[in-house]
Amino acid sequence: EKVLHAIPELQYDPIGRILWWSNTNTRKTENAVAVICAGTSDLPTFEECCATLKLYGHHPKRYIDIGVAGLHRMLQALPEIRKHRVLIVIAGMEGALPSVLAGLVTAPVIAVPTNIGYGANQDGITTLLAMLSSCASGIATVNIGNGYGAACVAARILEQA
């Protein structure tokens, strides 16, 4: 609050816990990247990722709460998801969503594990290991809760395309 008061040009997203200077990036892309989260408890990482993409000039399509526990929601969204050139998939618990999606799309999938889970989740380690061990092709995994890093990878992929 003190920083925002001292520098009014800054913006802050309390859910994504990200602070930034006003965006001057004029490049705009629509429907190039989708950010997908398995559940609403993944929203902090999801919002951090979306805000970072916007700073790069990309306007991600947002899909919330379409994890494997409600597979029908993901399947309903699949035709739209397939239109994107890059997918960022954020999930906790057992981390299955990136593998499921990577088996159904041709776009690269950037998997982002979160520490959401209980029991044997081990604060996201189980999710991270599941994503790193996926047998679906076309997945790259960033560290636990690294929505910023995933957005940076997606932006570089889109800049090369």
Side-chain angles (χ1 to χ4, degrees), residues 1-152:
E1 289 177 9
K2 289 180 182 180
V3 172
L4 289 171
H5 182 70
I7 308 171
E9 298 86 9
L10 292 177
Q11 296 179 34
Y12 178 69
D13 179 340
I15 297 173
R17 300 173 303 221
I18 185 169
L19 178 75
W20 70 93
W21 196 274
S22 296
N23 186 10
T24 58
N25 194 330
T26 57
R27 175 186 51 212
K28 302 212 186 289
T29 61
E30 301 288 337
N31 296 324
V33 60
V35 181
I36 301 160
C37 74
T40 56
S41 53
D42 301 312
L43 282 175
T45 303
F46 177 87
E47 293 297 343
E48 175 188 52
C49 183
C50 290
T52 303
L53 284 166
K54 287 180 185 176
L55 290 171
Y56 273 101
H58 301 291
H59 298 279
K61 177 71 174 169
R62 301 160 56 102
Y63 297 91
I64 298 171
D65 200 21
I66 62 167
V68 296
L71 192 58
H72 61 286
R73 292 188 296 269
M74 189 271 295
L75 292 174
Q76 288 172 343
L78 190 58
E80 286 297 315
I81 290 171
R82 285 183 169 146
K83 294 178 182 177
H84 298 87
R85 297 192 328 229
V86 179
L87 305 178
I88 298 173
V89 184
I90 302 165
M93 300 300 285
E94 78 284 1
L97 185 59
S99 293
V100 171
L101 275 169
L104 297 170
V105 300
T106 58
V109 172
I110 302 166
V112 186
T114 66
N115 65 348
I116 303 306
Y118 42 79
N121 178 268
Q122 300 179 20
D123 205 28
I125 299 295
T126 301
T127 309
L128 172 66
L129 293 175
M131 291 178 182
L132 288 171
S133 302
S134 174
C135 65
S137 60
I139 296 178
T141 303
V142 298
N143 208 350
I144 300 167
N146 192 4
Y148 171 79
C152 291

